[in-house]
Amino acid sequence: MQDIKQALTLRADAVEARLDELLPLVSSPEGEVVEAMRYSALGGGKRLRPFLVMETAALFDVEENYALQVAAALEMVHCYSLVHDDLPAMDDSDLRRGRLTVHKKWDDATAILAGDGLLTEAFGVLADPKSHPDADVRLKLISGLSLAAGSAGMVGGQMIDLSPNRSNLDLTGITRLQDLKTGALIRYACEAGAILGKASPEEFKALSLYAEDIGLAFQIVDDLLDHESTPEETGKPTGVDSDAGKATFVGQLGLKEARSKAEKLILSAKSRLDIFAGKAQLLRDTATFVLERRS
Ligand code: GRG
């Protein structure tokens, strides 16, 4: 676990520096929204999605500089989703990554605009040749992120999560909801590495399936942490989903079975990487990290 934590920190520092460059402060009147964007994007988070982009790209010896640009774009979309998710109209949360949420530090309008800014500019970051010199690769990266973040992905999952029928979902329904809401961006992270690396269809599929397994395990662990962890550990309120009466993996399966399901998914995720042999060891360790994380 030590190696993976070190690797995560190393990659997180690089992503932080790239985000800092991509979101320069401006002194004009609109600078307030940039400050809110920076507040959301800098200084926190596990940076798991950027890490997956960079590690999957590394399987194909992609130049790190390109992977970093794509990783930063994806993290911008992730941060936008957190800012909007925390708003009173959605999860109504005061705490994120151990700090006040953007709408608490500023106000709802600024939080909406900061999220909009991050989402919109992420596509510009991908369109920049710094993400890859080959325009066809950049186009694939852009359309992939659009699909993963839009109504067929994260936004669709969030819609289901907010719908009045949410509390009645069965296991299949919860799995689909989470596959869209959380899984789509995690899958994109791994597919982006494959796109950058011009992977073969077989390699692309293997990474996509790996991502599906860890994405679902990630969400099950999130439900477990919601039950078993404290706000001090997670940096956000806990007990929220169960208190809101939402159907969750833990609610459906119980703590023991939910953990066992997550463990099986992690084993399966690791087996998806067989075609990459020893080169994928850090990605196998990432799967273990997803299972054992405490925040
Ligand atoms: C507003 C369109 C829209 C979507 C919001 C991702 C999301 C959808 C909401 C986040 C709510 C939530 C707590 C989901 C559970 C899993 C999850 C995505 C947690 C946050 O991601 P982490 O743990 O966060 O990777 P850090 O802070 O480490 O980046």
Side-chain angles (χ1 to χ4, degrees), residues 45-46 49 78 80-81 85 97 158 218-219 222 236:
K46 294 178 288 300
R49 295 157 191 79
H78 171 57
Y80 124 76
S81 82
D85 185 61
R97 292 174 167 172
Q158 182 77 345
F218 182 92
Q219 187 55 51
D222 216 69
K236 61 184 180 183

Side-chain angles (χ1 to χ4, degrees), residues 52-230:
L52 289 169
V53 175
M54 300 194 70
E55 289 306 324
T56 50
L59 290 175
F60 306 97
D61 300 316
V62 171
E63 210 178 289
E64 200 175 297
N65 209 28
Y66 304 151
L68 198 50
Q69 183 84 357
V70 177
L74 175 55
E75 187 68 5
M76 286 165 71
V77 172
H78 171 57
C79 291
Y80 124 76
S81 82
L82 299 181
V83 174
H84 281 193
D85 185 61
D86 290 333
L87 282 164
M90 298 208 193
D91 248 21
D92 195 9
S93 193
D94 295 353
L95 200 61
R96 168 72 63 185
R97 292 174 167 172
R99 298 189 297 177
L100 283 181
T101 46
V102 176
H103 69 277
K104 279 285 160 187
K105 192 159 167 70
W106 280 269
D107 51 38
D108 292 4
T110 309
I112 291 169
L113 289 173
D116 292 343
L118 287 167
L119 172 64
T120 311
E121 289 173 33
F123 289 94
V125 170
L126 287 183
D128 191 310
K130 280 185 193 149
S131 70
H132 200 278
D134 183 338
D136 190 46
V137 167
R138 297 202 298 277
L139 211 55
K140 283 188 179 129
L141 290 168
I142 291 168
S143 59
L145 184 57
S146 154
L147 263 177
S151 57
M154 183 174 66
V155 164
Q158 182 77 345
M159 190 72 238
I160 302 171
D161 201 17
L162 294 171
S163 89
N165 296 328
R166 169 69 176 86
S167 49
N168 304 324
L169 289 182
D170 61 10
L171 203 54
T172 310
I174 300 171
T175 305
R176 180 164 184 273
L177 151 63
Q178 301 303 355
D179 182 53
L180 296 179
K181 186 177 127 178
T182 316
L185 279 202
I186 292 180
R187 190 162 45 244
Y188 175 76
C190 296
E191 291 180 355
I195 293 170
L196 282 167
K198 302 190 177 176
S200 69
E202 197 193 1
E203 290 164 332
F204 188 93
K205 185 82 192 159
L207 288 175
S208 193
L209 291 172
Y210 161 81
E212 241 165 63
D213 287 339
I214 64 164
L216 191 53
F218 182 92
Q219 187 55 51
I220 296 175
V221 170
D222 216 69
D223 284 0
L224 287 163
L225 289 173
D226 194 53
H227 278 258
E228 295 173 334
S229 193
T230 63

